[in-house]
Amino acid sequence: MKNYLSCLNEKSYEDYFQCIREYINSKNSFEGASYFIKIGSKTEAIDKRLIFPTIYRYITLGYHTLPEDSYLIVSLRKRTSTGIDTIEYITNIGKRRNDIYLDNFRTKLPESILLRNSKDNEEQKKLIEVRPYDFKTKEDIIKLEKRLRKKLDNEFPVPLPFSLILLINNPEYFPNIYYISKPYTCTEKNSEFSYIFKIIFKTSGTIKKSIKLFNDNLCFLSIIEFIDSPTIEPHALGLDYRFELEKENLNRFEIQVKYDEFEFRIYNSIIEVAKAISKLMFSPADIKTYQVVTEDNKTIFIDIASGNNLPINQRGLYKTILDAIDGIAESIYYSPLLDHCIMKDKYIICNEKITKSDLPEKLTRNLNLDEILYTYKNTSSKKINELIKYAKIKDTRLLDIIIEHKKDEFEENREIVSRAIELYLRSYNN
């Protein structure tokens, strides 16, 4: 098994990615995976690039197209002392996904599917599809490489294939990665199978228009650890992680917690997110309350498929942290869970009878998140340093918890990503 950092010394992107695959898959003794759709008594293999569009096409069409007895089967080949064994993970795809944070105006297909071991119902894993979202042409990747090499920006969006080593370098902040497939190009020729959309509001209704992206050999499937702890809001309310997996739970719950305890848990989660990004010197591209778990006072970023934001200097790090806090603030403000909760006599009371609340607005104000939420969106990149001077979460200044790094401390991350992009472009041009 190779040292994963040596993968950057390979001569092509294909060899680089295969090197990382061998490191991850061999560490977990996995040889490969096959994917099947089972409908009734009929089972057929499915191309990996069609799995997510097939399962989640109702996001586009507005109605579910699979019968109730439909299942996705992921068959993993595992090397054992006696040969090759097969582990099957399965999930019901005939049942429409219905977690509490999946809304009707979603603009991209979900990137994850929850799987269960067919022989051990308690063992769960997540199947994710990694996709880039910031690049419409190959030239966008070329521009990224040039600007990153010449350090023309403070922060860069980086697809996961180019920054996978950053996650491997920092396993304590991310779910364990058990398996990754070969890279592939996501299907986008047919609008029904697109991954990201623009919503157009018209008097006759809403229209979802497909947005074309450049993703040649930048998509891949991965099986990762499922973290069985609640995300930020359910954690603050003392709810079990299972609560947020089913929207119907919003119609049958009643809880009461002290407001101070609730607010502190939210506050502490945000502070820990800022500290984690400050230490990592990069951040997952998507940060919302439902994409972060706080476990044993430790931050775990559970959604990694969209890639990473890479700062290359201190100002870029400030922006990356403010981006994350802005995403958390916005998701609190529009929270479907907190809309079922009100503050009364120093307590938070939540139940299905409450359907609209000013708690999200009060909470963002009490934590000073409204300052970041509104000020940051209207602040130019040149004034980031000025904003960070007075930015606070409750009474804690961000400047007091963000690590001040030297310029050369950002170089390792930048060089890892630059080398991976260089290998990709060299292979692509050949």
Side-chain angles (χ1 to χ4, degrees), residues 304-322:
I304 60 176
S306 296
N308 294 295
N309 291 330
L310 179 74
I312 65 163
N313 54 35
Q314 195 67 30
R315 179 181 287 180
L317 182 60
Y318 291 156
K319 184 179 185 303
T320 302
I321 291 172
L322 287 169

Side-chain angles (χ1 to χ4, degrees), residues 362-418:
K362 286 181 179 178
L363 181 61
T364 55
R365 186 168 60 246
N366 290 351
L367 291 173
N368 293 331
L369 293 175
D370 56 340
E371 291 290 329
I372 294 175
L373 189 60
Y374 300 121
T375 308
Y376 178 54
K377 291 185 184 302
N378 298 309
T379 300
S380 68
S381 60
K382 291 182 180 180
K383 293 185 177 180
I384 290 296
N385 285 13
E386 184 180 323
L387 173 59
I388 205 78
K389 286 179 182 178
Y390 63 81
K392 290 182 179 181
I393 308 298
K394 193 70 173 176
D395 296 322
T396 302
R397 294 197 320 151
L398 286 181
L399 269 185
D400 292 336
I401 63 171
I402 298 175
I403 299 169
E404 293 289 325
H405 296 279
K406 297 177 182 178
K407 286 185 179 180
D408 59 358
E409 291 182 78
F410 291 92
E411 279 302 292
E412 182 182 0
N413 287 354
R414 189 189 69 82
E415 288 174 3
I416 286 171
V417 170
S418 294

Side-chain angles (χ1 to χ4, degrees), residues 45-173:
I46 182 171
D47 188 315
K48 58 178 175 280
R49 75 191 66 205
L50 297 179
I51 292 173
F52 281 78
T54 299
I55 293 172
Y56 290 127
R57 71 177 74 184
Y58 65 82
I59 299 291
T60 313
L61 300 178
Y63 58 89
H64 205 38
T65 58
L66 292 168
E68 289 186 5
D69 61 340
S70 302
Y71 297 88
L72 170 70
I73 301 171
V74 179
S75 180
L76 273 172
R77 296 181 294 281
K78 187 179 180 71
R79 187 174 64 255
T80 67
S81 58
T82 57
I84 302 296
D85 196 6
T86 299
I87 302 175
E88 281 193 351
Y89 292 94
I90 190 167
T91 190
N92 183 349
I93 57 175
K95 182 183 178 184
R96 181 171 176 154
R97 176 173 159 177
N98 205 32
D99 55 86
I100 66 176
Y101 296 110
L102 191 68
D103 62 52
N104 295 326
F105 295 104
R106 191 180 180 101
T107 56
K108 64 181 180 181
L109 292 192
E111 300 151 322
S112 66
I113 299 170
L114 192 59
L115 303 171
R116 291 186 183 274
N117 189 316
S118 62
K119 294 181 179 178
D120 181 2
N121 203 41
E122 295 301 311
E123 186 202 341
Q124 298 184 83
K125 296 283 188 289
K126 277 174 75 174
L127 176 70
I128 65 170
E129 181 170 53
V130 168
R131 316 167 193 147
Y133 290 111
D134 295 286
F135 308 98
K136 294 185 178 179
T137 65
K138 182 187 73 172
E139 283 65 36
D140 290 337
I141 303 283
I142 293 172
K143 288 176 185 176
L144 170 65
E145 191 273 335
K146 288 180 178 177
R147 298 189 73 82
L148 188 57
R149 176 165 40 85
K150 295 180 180 180
K151 305 179 185 180
L152 295 180
D153 294 307
N154 300 312
E155 180 194 45
F156 298 86
V158 182
L160 191 55
F162 305 146
S163 53
L164 194 52
I165 286 178
L166 302 186
L167 271 61
I168 300 172
N169 266 347
N170 300 278
E172 66 270 30
Y173 292 100

Side-chain angles (χ1 to χ4, degrees), residues 262-297:
F262 163 78
E263 184 190 88
F264 176 76
R265 288 174 181 168
I266 296 280
Y267 156 84
N268 189 60
S269 295
I270 298 172
I271 293 297
E272 290 303 318
V273 165
K275 287 181 178 179
I277 296 172
S278 179
K279 185 175 179 181
L280 287 168
M281 291 181 281
F282 73 91
S283 168
D286 274 348
I287 302 286
K288 300 286 192 297
T289 54
Y290 47 86
Q291 293 164 323
V292 178
V293 163
T294 303
E295 191 173 66
D296 299 326
N297 215 32

Side-chain angles (χ1 to χ4, degrees), residues 180-380:
I180 58 175
S181 74
K182 291 181 180 179
Y184 58 87
T185 301
C186 295
T187 303
E188 292 197 353
K189 293 179 181 178
N190 187 326
S191 61
E192 182 181 332
F193 288 153
S194 291
Y195 288 82
I196 187 167
F197 310 90
K198 178 181 180 182
I199 295 181
I200 302 171
F201 294 96
K202 293 195 172 184
T203 52
S204 57
T206 60
I207 298 173
K208 286 187 178 178
K209 184 178 180 181
S210 169
I211 296 175
K212 303 299 181 184
L213 299 173
F214 177 83
N215 55 50
D216 287 6
N217 283 326
L218 292 177
C219 301
F220 64 88
L221 293 182
S222 182
I223 293 176
I224 67 173
E225 178 184 13
F226 172 73
I227 309 293
D228 56 355
S229 294
T231 56
I232 290 177
E233 290 172 12
H235 163 70
L237 292 169
L239 292 165
D240 184 87
Y241 77 90
R242 297 176 185 86
F243 183 90
E244 58 195 289
L245 300 180
E246 180 56 61
K247 191 173 292 186
E248 185 62 28
N249 288 331
L250 293 174
N251 298 325
R252 51 172 184 246
F253 82 117
E254 185 164 358
I255 57 175
Q256 178 174 304
V257 295
K258 290 181 179 179
Y259 176 79
D260 287 349
E261 292 178 4
F262 163 78
E263 184 190 88
F264 176 76
R265 288 174 181 168
I266 296 280
Y267 156 84
N268 189 60
S269 295
I270 298 172
I271 293 297
E272 290 303 318
V273 165
K275 287 181 178 179
I277 296 172
S278 179
K279 185 175 179 181
L280 287 168
M281 291 181 281
F282 73 91
S283 168
D286 274 348
I287 302 286
K288 300 286 192 297
T289 54
Y290 47 86
Q291 293 164 323
V292 178
V293 163
T294 303
E295 191 173 66
D296 299 326
N297 215 32
K298 180 181 67 175
T299 295
I300 303 176
F301 299 105
I302 61 173
D303 281 345
I304 60 176
S306 296
N308 294 295
N309 291 330
L310 179 74
I312 65 163
N313 54 35
Q314 195 67 30
R315 179 181 287 180
L317 182 60
Y318 291 156
K319 184 179 185 303
T320 302
I321 291 172
L322 287 169
D323 275 333
I325 295 173
D326 180 67
I328 290 173
E330 191 168 52
S331 55
I332 287 174
Y333 195 84
Y334 294 106
S335 169
L337 174 56
L338 299 186
D339 252 352
H340 286 270
C341 303
I342 58 172
M343 186 163 60
K344 184 178 180 182
D345 299 330
K346 297 184 179 180
Y347 280 87
I348 297 293
I349 298 170
C350 308
N351 60 54
E352 71 278 2
K353 296 177 182 178
I354 302 167
T355 56
K356 186 63 181 174
S357 169
D358 62 356
L359 176 62
E361 185 177 354
K362 286 181 179 178
L363 181 61
T364 55
R365 186 168 60 246
N366 290 351
L367 291 173
N368 293 331
L369 293 175
D370 56 340
E371 291 290 329
I372 294 175
L373 189 60
Y374 300 121
T375 308
Y376 178 54
K377 291 185 184 302
N378 298 309
T379 300
S380 68

